[in-house]
């Protein structure tokens, strides 16, 4: 199963050198090779410039695992409220991911009360059915696009069922999710000139969830939206705005992130057929394989924070008001934390990688994403013998600069 694509390699250092010369994370939008494989650049920065200021990105870029962990855990210095004041039309300051304590603590407690691990585990049988239905359709084809035939519909169906979204409304999910990614991408890049074109779609999405929440308060059902509508901690309930924004976060994280995790998994196994064969022979390695996939190709490449008070990171002084981009993808390849970090090895002992963040904002949907990955791999290793990317295929990366994934992944699959 050899993967043929136009990617960055040791034989093509020019893209890395150009990227370093221009300092430009923003230039990733014009450099497909870099967005397909940012890891040669990460390796260089980890060794030579682990904390550096980028004038193009208007932020300090942080690469080492210990420094990334500090940025994500020290919320008193590195605030999550990066969207405050950027737009009165887009209520990013009301999103859980854009809050600091004490408000974040209270809202997260309410959300956690509704989105329980038990509720996630109850979905496993249904996930297995969805996976097998999608595999039936893929195996019936001579060639399949894994992104569109599996990686997109699987998590969309799951998160829609968790939330309790009616079937007729699910076709809107991918569009809404793409809108949120585009908005976040531009704001994270310090650009807001084209945001008005996305406001209508964003408001349509939040209005949809607020309407559904009000309906569930009148007639509760056994779904997450009903639990969010009725959740109460210490006498307080979520407001419609808070609950709808939590639904938005779940929709995007439970859709976009998992789509890219699944796509990255198949791309990586196509590059390493020996690891796929090992997983087929040793299914007990699935939990380690999931961890290694997330470490090796991290879906969300960086998280941005705003500095609230003067401080330092990695020996570099940073002043209040500055922005910091903590690179999860680089932290997951830090040689100070991982032996042979650029080797994909599903027997690597499981450990705490940075894929789902760290600290108070550790991703609430992490158990769901892990379960989806596990369900997919568990069924695939029993039903898929080999697969390969066609030699003529050219892999095209996503446009979003902070996401690692593909627009499509053609696969020729041979079933067992």
């Amino acid at each position: 199963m050899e993967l043929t694509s136009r990617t960055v390699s040791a034989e093509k250092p020019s893209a890395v050198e150009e990227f370093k010369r221009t300092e430009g994370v923003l230039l990733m939008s014009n450099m497909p090779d870099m967005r397909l494989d940012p890891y040669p650049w990460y390796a260089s920065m980890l060794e030579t410039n682990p904390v550096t200021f980028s004038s193009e990105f208007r932020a300090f870029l942080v690469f080492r695992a210990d420094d990334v962990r500090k940025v994500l855990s020290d919320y008193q210095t590195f605030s999550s409220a990066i969207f405050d004041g950027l737009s009165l039309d887009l209520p990013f300051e009301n999103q859980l991911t854009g809050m600091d304590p004490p408000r974040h603590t209270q809202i997260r407690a309410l959300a956690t009360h509704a989105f329980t691990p038990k509720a996630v585990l109850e979905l496993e049988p249904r996930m297995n059915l969805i996976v097998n239905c999608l595999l039936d359709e893929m195996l019936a084809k001579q060639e399949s696009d894994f992104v569109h035939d599996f990686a997109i519909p699987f998590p969309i169906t799951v998160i829609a069922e968790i939330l309790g979204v009616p079937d007729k409304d699910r076709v809107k999910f991918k569009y809404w999710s793409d809108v949120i990614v585009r908005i976040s991408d531009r704001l994270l890049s310090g650009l807001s000139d084209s945001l008005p074109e996305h406001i209508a779609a964003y408001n349509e999405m939040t209005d949809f969830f607020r309407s559904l929440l009000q309906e569930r308060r009148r007639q509760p059902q056994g779904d997450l939206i009903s639990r969010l509508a009725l959740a109460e901690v210490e006498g307080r309930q979520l407001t419609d705005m808070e609950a709808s924004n939590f639904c938005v976060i779940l929709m995007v994280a439970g859709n976009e992130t998992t789509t890219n995790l699944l796509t990255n998994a198949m791309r990586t196994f196509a590059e390493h057929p020996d690891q796929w064969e090992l997983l087929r022979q040793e299914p007990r390695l699935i939990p380690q394989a999931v961890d290694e996939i997330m470490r090796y190709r991290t879906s969300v490449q960086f998280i941005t924070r705003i500095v609230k008070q003067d401080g330092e990171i990695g020996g570099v002084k940073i002043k209040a008001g500055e922005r910091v981009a903590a690179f999860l993808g680089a932290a997951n390849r830090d040689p100070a934390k991982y032996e042979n970090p650029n080797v994909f090895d599903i027997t690597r002992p499981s450990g705490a990688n940075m894929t789902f963040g760290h600290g108070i904002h550790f991703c609430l949907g992490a158990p769901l994403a892990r379960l989806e990955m596990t369900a997919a791999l568990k069924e695939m290793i029993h039903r898929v013998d080999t697969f390969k990317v066609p030699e003529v295929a050219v892999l095209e990366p996503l446009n979003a600069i902070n996401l690692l994934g593909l627009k499509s992944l053609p696969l020729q699959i041979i079933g067992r």
Side-chain angles (χ1 to χ4, degrees):
M1 289 177 289
E2 294 183 356
L3 178 64
T4 303
S5 64
R6 298 173 186 170
T7 58
V8 172
S9 69
E11 299 174 353
K12 292 183 63 179
S14 57
V16 178
E17 293 303 317
E18 175 65 11
F19 195 82
K20 288 164 59 181
R21 184 185 69 79
T22 55
E23 302 184 310
V25 172
L26 293 182
L27 291 183
M28 292 178 86
S29 61
N30 297 315
M31 299 176 67
D33 280 353
M34 186 60 68
R35 283 184 286 121
L36 276 174
D37 184 10
Y39 293 102
W41 179 60
Y42 290 165
S44 175
M45 299 304 284
L46 280 163
E47 181 179 357
T48 62
N49 292 290
V51 179
T52 187
F53 183 79
S54 167
S55 57
E56 289 284 345
F57 196 55
R58 309 175 201 176
F60 283 90
L61 313 183
V62 179
F63 298 93
R64 286 180 179 163
D66 285 345
D67 294 335
V68 168
R69 185 175 287 106
K70 178 179 178 180
V71 170
L72 299 184
S73 60
D74 183 5
Y75 61 84
Q76 293 181 327
T77 301
F78 304 100
S79 170
S80 299
I82 60 172
F83 297 128
D84 283 9
L86 285 179
S87 173
L88 295 176
D89 299 305
L90 294 172
F92 284 102
E93 66 274 11
N94 290 316
Q95 288 192 358
L96 186 64
T97 53
M99 295 179 187
D100 292 325
R103 191 178 180 215
H104 169 272
T105 306
Q106 186 178 46
I107 302 299
R108 180 161 176 135
L110 283 161
T112 303
H113 189 70
F115 191 54
T116 63
K118 180 177 181 292
V120 172
L121 285 173
E122 288 173 352
L123 282 164
E124 186 172 14
R126 176 62 180 149
M127 284 186 192
N128 294 337
L129 287 174
I130 297 169
V131 167
N132 278 300
C133 286
L134 293 173
L135 284 176
D136 287 343
E137 296 177 7
M138 287 179 61
L139 291 172
K141 300 178 182 180
Q142 207 168 29
E143 182 175 311
S144 176
D145 181 348
F146 182 77
V147 173
H148 293 278
D149 294 340
F150 190 95
I152 288 176
F154 176 40
I156 283 180
T157 302
V158 171
I159 197 63
E161 292 190 3
I162 289 175
L163 287 168
V165 174
D167 290 348
K168 63 182 177 65
D169 295 309
R170 294 179 187 180
V171 293
K172 303 174 185 176
F173 258 44
K174 181 59 180 170
Y175 167 69
W176 282 341
S177 180
D178 288 345
V179 167
I180 290 297
V181 169
R182 288 198 299 271
I183 292 172
S184 298
D185 192 50
R186 295 193 67 78
L187 289 176
L188 288 169
S189 305
L191 302 173
S192 58
D193 54 296
S194 67
L195 286 179
E197 64 186 274
H198 303 312
I199 291 176
Y202 184 89
N203 288 338
E204 178 185 351
M205 177 172 49
T206 53
D207 287 346
F208 168 82
F209 281 120
R210 277 196 294 269
S211 176
L212 203 56
L213 281 158
Q214 291 166 3
E215 180 181 316
R216 292 297 193 271
R217 285 198 174 100
R218 293 191 298 269
Q219 295 180 313
Q221 298 181 19
D223 52 47
L224 178 58
I225 289 183
S226 295
R227 293 195 294 275
L228 285 170
L230 302 174
E232 184 175 308
V233 174
E234 296 180 355
R236 186 193 187 286
Q237 286 187 319
L238 288 169
T239 66
D240 285 350
M241 176 63 77
E242 291 165 346
S244 63
N245 278 324
F246 182 66
C247 290
V248 169
I249 292 171
L250 277 182
M251 187 192 72
V252 176
N255 164 21
E256 195 74 35
T257 302
T258 307
T259 290
N260 294 330
L261 281 173
L262 291 164
T263 303
N264 291 338
M266 297 304 281
R267 174 188 174 187
T268 304
F269 277 122
E271 294 172 333
H272 301 85
D274 60 315
Q275 296 295 293
W276 178 254
E277 181 60 26
L278 176 60
L279 189 63
R280 287 182 58 228
Q281 298 298 326
E282 300 284 349
R284 63 180 177 79
L285 291 174
I286 286 179
Q288 288 170 248
V290 170
D291 273 348
E292 180 67 351
I293 290 162
M294 294 188 298
R295 183 201 70 83
Y296 187 78
R297 278 201 169 105
T298 308
S299 291
V300 177
Q301 288 291 292
F302 64 85
I303 294 176
T304 306
R305 295 287 186 260
I306 189 84
V307 180
K308 292 171 62 177
Q309 58 190 20
D310 292 357
E312 66 86 23
I313 188 75
V316 176
K317 293 183 179 179
I318 301 177
K319 295 182 179 181
E322 299 278 10
R323 297 200 319 160
V324 174
F327 278 77
L328 310 179
N332 281 341
R333 296 279 192 105
D334 188 345
K337 292 295 180 183
Y338 302 98
E339 184 178 356
N340 299 319
N342 296 314
V343 173
F344 178 64
D345 178 9
I346 64 170
T347 67
R348 188 186 300 272
S350 295
N353 61 56
M354 294 288 185
T355 299
F356 295 113
H358 181 74
I360 63 171
H361 284 284
F362 184 81
C363 180
L364 272 174
L368 174 62
R370 286 183 180 279
L371 186 60
E372 287 174 318
M373 287 283 289
T374 299
L377 289 176
K378 185 174 67 174
E379 298 301 325
M380 284 181 182
I381 61 174
H382 290 303
R383 299 193 57 185
V384 174
D385 187 6
T386 63
F387 57 92
K388 67 178 181 179
V389 177
E391 292 184 2
V392 296
V394 176
L395 304 185
E396 187 177 356
L398 299 174
N399 292 328
I401 64 172
N402 68 324
L403 296 180
L404 184 66
L406 301 172
K407 292 182 179 180
S408 66
L409 181 60
L411 289 180
Q412 295 171 346
I413 302 175
I414 300 175
R416 297 185 68 174

